[in-house]
């Protein structure tokens, strides 16, 4: 059984897309070993609780630099994981978790990296910046996590045309593609169809 550890900070719609894909056998022989939130009272953690998935909350304001190690230890206590998936997780991981899970941590970002990413580019800020810049296309990126912010190798991307001046409308269009992208990426990892060579990630379709 391929095991996932999922990190969340908010709504958890990407987490739920993965959970539904597992339930519907779109991702096979896979389970969510734990869900970890870095803030209290998230809808994502509530959903994990409803699904009877072991879930934890380690507020980042409280744990600060110790957060990454706490997450690593908790994953180990849950029996380990093959892949960590950051589903709208706003803390930056550091320390041993990055070494122990090298090339096994995924993040999803709501733009076409390397545009509109990095420090301060999260949530609605991303979509506002895309519209302000006048970009004709945006989208989402699933990438591997390294010690930078949104700098790791790209796994897959989906393109969304910019057809609105409303950041909220654009966010709605992008998140539809995010849900497809994160499920696809996790499925490829679970099926062993990913080969990584430096920054190049090959999907063996
Ligand atoms: C998504 O837009 C994701 O790309 C970003 O944070 C948002 C999280 O949404 N990293 P959700 O919590 O999965 O609904």
């Amino acid at each position: 059984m391929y095991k996932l550890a999922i990190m969340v900070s908010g709504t958890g719609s990407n987490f739920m897309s993965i959970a539904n894909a597992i339930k519907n056998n779109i991702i096979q022989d896979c389970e969510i070993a734990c869900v970890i939130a870095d803030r209290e009272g998230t809808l994502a953690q509530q959903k994990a609780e409803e699904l009877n998935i072991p879930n934890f909350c380690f507020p980042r304001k409280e744990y600060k630099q110790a957060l990454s190690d706490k997450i690593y230890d908790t994953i180990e206590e849950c029996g380990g994981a093959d892949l960590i998936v950051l589903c709208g997780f706003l803390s930056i991981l550091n320390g041993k978790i990055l070494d122990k899970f090298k090339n096994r941590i995924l993040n999803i970002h709501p733009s076409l990296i390397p545009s509109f990413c990095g420090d301060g580019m999260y949530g609605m800020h991303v979509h506002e910046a895309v519209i302000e810049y006048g970009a004709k296309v945006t989208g989402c990126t699933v990438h591997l996590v390294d010690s930078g912010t949104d700098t790791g190798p790209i796994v897959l991307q989906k393109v969304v045309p910019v057809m609105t001046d409303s950041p909220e409308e654009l966010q709605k269009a992008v998140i539809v593609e995010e849900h497809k992208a994160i499920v696809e990426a996790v499925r490829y990892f679970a099926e062993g169809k990913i080969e990584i060579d430096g920054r190049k990630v090959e999907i063996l379709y």
Side-chain angles (χ1 to χ4, degrees):
M1 188 67 82
Y2 195 80
K3 287 162 77 167
L4 307 176
I6 294 191
M7 308 297 125
V8 294
S9 299
T11 313
S13 68
N14 282 290
F15 151 50
M16 287 306 293
S17 293
I18 296 169
N20 286 332
I22 293 172
K23 188 174 126 200
N24 296 326
N25 265 325
I26 293 162
I27 307 172
Q28 295 179 348
D29 299 320
C30 183
E31 67 178 14
I32 300 172
C34 61
V35 170
I36 301 176
D38 68 348
R39 60 198 60 205
E40 283 169 2
T42 60
L43 197 55
Q45 194 180 358
Q46 193 181 310
K47 286 173 181 165
E49 184 66 27
E50 284 165 17
L51 292 173
N52 288 319
I53 299 170
N55 60 89
F56 307 86
C57 178
F58 306 122
R60 68 169 163 166
K61 283 186 183 150
E62 190 182 316
Y63 283 84
K64 300 191 175 86
Q65 284 303 306
L67 178 65
S68 293
D69 285 357
K70 183 71 186 167
I71 289 171
Y72 177 79
D73 293 344
T74 303
I75 292 171
E76 290 305 294
E77 282 159 25
C78 287
D82 297 292
L83 187 70
I84 297 175
V85 190
L86 311 187
C87 289
F89 186 66
L90 291 174
S91 296
I92 303 295
L93 295 175
N94 57 34
K96 69 178 172 187
I97 197 166
L98 294 179
D99 295 330
K100 302 272 189 187
F101 281 88
K102 186 170 165 50
N103 289 340
R104 292 191 297 137
I105 308 177
L106 291 181
N107 182 44
I108 180 145
H109 181 78
S111 78
L112 295 173
I113 289 175
S115 292
F116 308 107
C117 60
D119 291 340
M121 279 292 170
Y122 61 89
M124 204 57 79
H125 299 301
V126 178
H127 307 296
E128 285 164 359
V130 167
I131 289 168
E132 182 68 19
Y133 198 88
K136 301 296 186 200
V137 292
T138 184
C140 62
T141 303
V142 180
H143 65 94
L144 290 161
V145 172
D146 61 12
S147 57
T149 305
D150 304 328
T151 51
I154 292 170
V155 176
L156 60 85
Q157 297 184 297
K158 293 203 179 283
V159 177
V160 174
V162 180
M163 309 281 274
T164 173
D165 271 341
S166 155
E168 290 79 13
E169 288 300 314
L170 191 55
Q171 185 183 46
K172 280 185 198 157
V174 169
I175 200 117
V176 171
E177 295 306 310
E178 287 189 46
H179 295 160
K180 296 178 197 164
I182 196 70
V183 166
E184 265 181 50
V186 170
R187 182 164 69 77
Y188 294 139
F189 273 82
E191 291 175 353
K193 288 186 174 161
I194 297 284
E195 263 183 24
I196 302 162
D197 180 11
R199 285 205 63 84
K200 303 284 166 58
V201 178
E202 193 182 348
I203 300 171
L204 310 167
Y205 292 102

